[in-house]
């Protein structure tokens, strides 16, 4: 859906002008094939450029600072605002009240993603933020001991359910809208017994956890894909922000589409120890199959290179160990390797 928002902006450069001027960019000039603008009233009027043709990702080229980022990431970085604020401004300028209704006439996918478009667009249930009021807005000691800082808990909106004694984890879609609440029991659970449940139903396969919170660090770079939400929060604590989670071990077609909208250079799967290698390769093959026209490097954590406890996540072992894994135990996959594994 974010891809369609970018397409809508590119087809209406005056709307891009409004977005830029809202964030105090100056001297916006629109030409036939590009637009230019300045950082402020005194800086160069032409040093920042957005091409209006062949620029599906809506890249901004800031030649004075040698920066190339998509419009959302650029504004976030340069103006110190978050993804939700930029998206909210764009939403108002485009006159969007409901994303699905707005884009229904042209399809949720298109062009590059035609191969993974469903015949019927799945409308994901979203909830008003007020449903979170039933939970206590407090930090959690169990998560703190599990390498999830209070800052990370605040960023991802962790709360506490006194009725169920559960740690409440809000789940959001790529646009930051609330689509469910997952809970983790706040007490020890025997191996094999249920630790997590959905207090508010959620279509987890339709989102990537951490997408909206980490967008600036995901777009146009290296994306680390974990199984569980907890890993994304642990990585935040370690200062590693280019992370999302599947909410399971298997990537869905919708999650692939969301991933490709980030225009990543590398995608690395960080499954828990013991996850079947055939299933890891199936996930890689899924991304590979839908990214034939993009230059994306694909890889995974080869946990067989060291001795690890079964089911441990690469983020569970602390920042130092995770950095070691990222530097020494990532296997990148070429086309021939994937075909042989499958």
């Amino acid at each position: 859906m974010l891809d369609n928002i970018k397409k809508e902006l590119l087809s209406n450069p005056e709307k891009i002008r409004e977005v830029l001027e809202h964030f105090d960019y100056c001297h916006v000039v629109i030409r036939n094939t590009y637009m230019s603008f300045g950082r402020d009233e005194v800086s160069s009027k032409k040093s920042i450029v957005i091409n209006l043709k062949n620029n599906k990702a809506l890249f901004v080229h800031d030649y004075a600072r040698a920066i190339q980022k998509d419009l959302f990431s650029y504004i976030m970085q340069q103006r110190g605002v978050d993804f939700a604020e930029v998206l909210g401004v764009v939403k108002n300028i485009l006159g969007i009240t409901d994303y699905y209704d707005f884009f229904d006439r042209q399809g949720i996918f298109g062009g590059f993603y035609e191969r993974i478009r469903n015949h019927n667009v799945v409308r994901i249930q979203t909830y008003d933020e007020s449903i979170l009021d039933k939970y206590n807005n407090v930090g959690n000691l169990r998560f703190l001991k599990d390498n999830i800082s209070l800052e990370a808990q605040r960023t991802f909106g962790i709360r506490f359910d006194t009725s169920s004694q559960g740690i409440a984890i809000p789940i959001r879609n790529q646009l930051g809208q609330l689509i469910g609440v997952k809970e983790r029991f706040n007490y020890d659970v025997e191996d094999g017994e249920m630790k997590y449940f959905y207090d508010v139903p959620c279509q987890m396969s339709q989102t990537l956890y951490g997408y909206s919170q980490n967008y600036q660090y995901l777009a146009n770079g290296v994306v680390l894909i974990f199984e569980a939400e907890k890993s994304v929060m642990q990585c935040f604590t370690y200062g590693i922000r280019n992370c999302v989670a599947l909410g399971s071990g298997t990537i869905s077609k919708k999650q692939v589409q969301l991933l490709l909208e980030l225009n990543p250079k590398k995608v690395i799967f960080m499954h828990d120890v013991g996850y079947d290698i055939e299933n890891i390769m199936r996930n890689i093959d899924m991304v590979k199959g839908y990214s034939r026209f993009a230059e994306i490097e694909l890889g995974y954590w080869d946990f067989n290179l060291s001795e690890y406890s079964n089911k441990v996540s690469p983020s569970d072992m602390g920042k130092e160990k995770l950095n070691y894994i990222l530097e020494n135990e990532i296997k990148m996959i070429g086309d021939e390797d994937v075909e042989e594994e499958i």
Side-chain angles (χ1 to χ4, degrees):
M1 192 181 301
L2 190 59
D3 213 42
N4 294 81
I5 292 174
K6 291 179 179 179
K7 185 187 299 184
E8 191 74 13
L9 287 169
L10 280 169
S11 64
N12 296 278
E14 287 292 344
K15 300 297 184 182
I16 301 178
R17 180 205 295 272
E18 291 183 50
V19 174
L20 293 171
E21 290 179 344
H22 176 90
F23 289 102
D24 297 324
Y25 289 101
C26 306
H27 310 300
V28 182
V29 176
I30 301 174
R31 305 296 186 189
N32 288 334
T33 60
Y34 71 94
M35 58 193 301
S36 60
F37 57 97
R39 183 180 179 86
D40 49 45
E41 289 288 354
V42 298
S43 62
S44 171
K45 301 177 181 180
K46 300 180 180 180
S47 64
I48 312 175
V49 174
I50 299 175
N51 291 320
L52 300 176
K53 303 293 183 182
N54 301 316
N55 187 17
K56 185 175 178 295
L58 194 53
F59 279 125
V60 175
H61 300 269
D62 187 335
Y63 294 103
R65 297 165 188 80
I67 296 172
Q68 178 178 297
K69 289 181 174 288
D70 80 299
L71 179 66
F72 291 84
S73 297
Y74 181 76
I75 294 175
M76 289 167 66
Q77 181 192 64
Q78 297 299 307
R79 292 308 194 225
V81 295
D82 62 20
F83 181 69
E85 183 172 345
V86 180
L87 189 63
V89 170
V90 171
K91 178 182 176 181
N92 290 335
I93 287 173
L94 291 179
I96 298 174
T97 55
D98 183 288
Y99 292 108
Y100 291 95
D101 289 343
F102 187 84
F103 291 112
D104 187 53
R105 68 180 184 274
Q106 53 187 294
I108 199 72
F109 301 124
F112 182 73
Y113 303 109
E114 190 67 28
R115 295 178 59 205
I116 51 179
R117 185 175 76 176
N118 294 323
H119 292 295
N120 297 310
V121 174
V122 177
R123 177 181 284 270
I124 304 172
Q125 174 68 53
T126 60
Y127 301 94
D128 189 87
E129 294 291 322
S130 62
I131 71 167
L132 297 177
D133 293 343
K134 66 179 265 191
Y135 309 106
N136 289 340
N137 190 9
V138 295
N140 181 266
L141 186 59
R142 174 177 291 274
F143 269 16
L144 188 61
K145 291 179 178 178
D146 206 14
N147 296 328
I148 299 175
S149 68
L150 291 177
E151 182 184 2
Q153 294 184 44
R154 283 192 294 269
T155 298
F156 291 91
I158 299 304
R159 301 189 179 212
F160 189 73
D161 187 345
T162 54
S163 62
S164 67
Q165 291 296 294
I167 306 167
I169 307 170
I171 306 295
R172 300 183 180 278
N173 64 15
Q174 72 171 136
L175 303 178
Q177 297 169 301
L178 186 66
I179 64 171
V181 178
K182 189 175 186 177
E183 290 197 22
R184 199 277 187 208
F185 290 121
N186 193 37
Y187 49 82
D188 293 334
V189 177
E190 296 292 333
D191 289 342
E193 293 187 5
M194 184 177 71
K195 293 182 181 179
Y196 292 89
F197 67 95
Y198 284 101
D199 188 52
V200 178
C202 175
Q203 294 175 282
M204 189 66 210
S205 65
Q206 301 298 299
T207 191
L208 288 167
Y209 184 79
Y211 192 107
S212 60
Q213 296 94 334
N214 287 336
Y215 181 82
Q216 177 184 345
Y217 307 92
L218 297 167
N220 321 122
V222 179
V223 178
L224 304 177
I225 303 180
F226 294 84
E227 290 186 37
E229 299 84 2
K230 185 178 72 170
S231 292
V232 176
M233 291 183 275
Q234 288 171 327
C235 287
F236 179 100
T237 302
Y238 307 150
I240 302 172
R241 297 292 305 274
N242 56 321
C243 308
V244 293
L246 302 173
S248 69
T250 304
I251 195 168
S252 69
K253 289 183 179 180
K254 174 63 176 181
Q255 289 172 326
V256 172
Q257 184 248 333
L258 295 177
L259 182 65
L260 297 182
E261 284 189 357
L262 292 168
N263 300 292
K265 294 180 174 63
K266 289 184 181 181
V267 172
I268 300 172
F269 285 92
M270 304 293 291
H271 285 84
D272 294 357
V273 173
Y275 194 74
D276 195 286
I277 188 64
E278 290 184 2
N279 292 329
I280 295 175
M281 290 301 172
R282 191 174 294 117
N283 284 341
I284 290 173
D285 194 49
M286 174 84 82
V287 177
K288 177 176 176 288
Y290 292 126
S291 59
R292 294 292 185 183
F293 305 108
E295 296 181 1
I296 302 175
E297 296 181 62
L298 300 169
Y300 69 98
W301 174 35
D302 187 355
F303 44 73
N304 291 312
L305 293 175
S306 299
E307 292 290 333
Y308 294 107
S309 301
N310 197 36
K311 287 304 295 175
V312 69
S313 163
S315 61
D316 283 334
M317 297 175 281
K319 179 178 180 179
E320 184 177 340
K321 186 60 178 178
L322 179 57
N323 283 331
Y324 175 85
I325 287 171
L326 293 174
E327 292 173 7
N328 299 282
E329 297 184 352
I330 301 302
K331 180 176 181 181
M332 302 308 295
I333 302 297
D335 290 350
E336 293 180 0
D337 294 327
V338 173
E339 292 169 3
E340 289 175 2
E341 293 281 0
I342 296 300

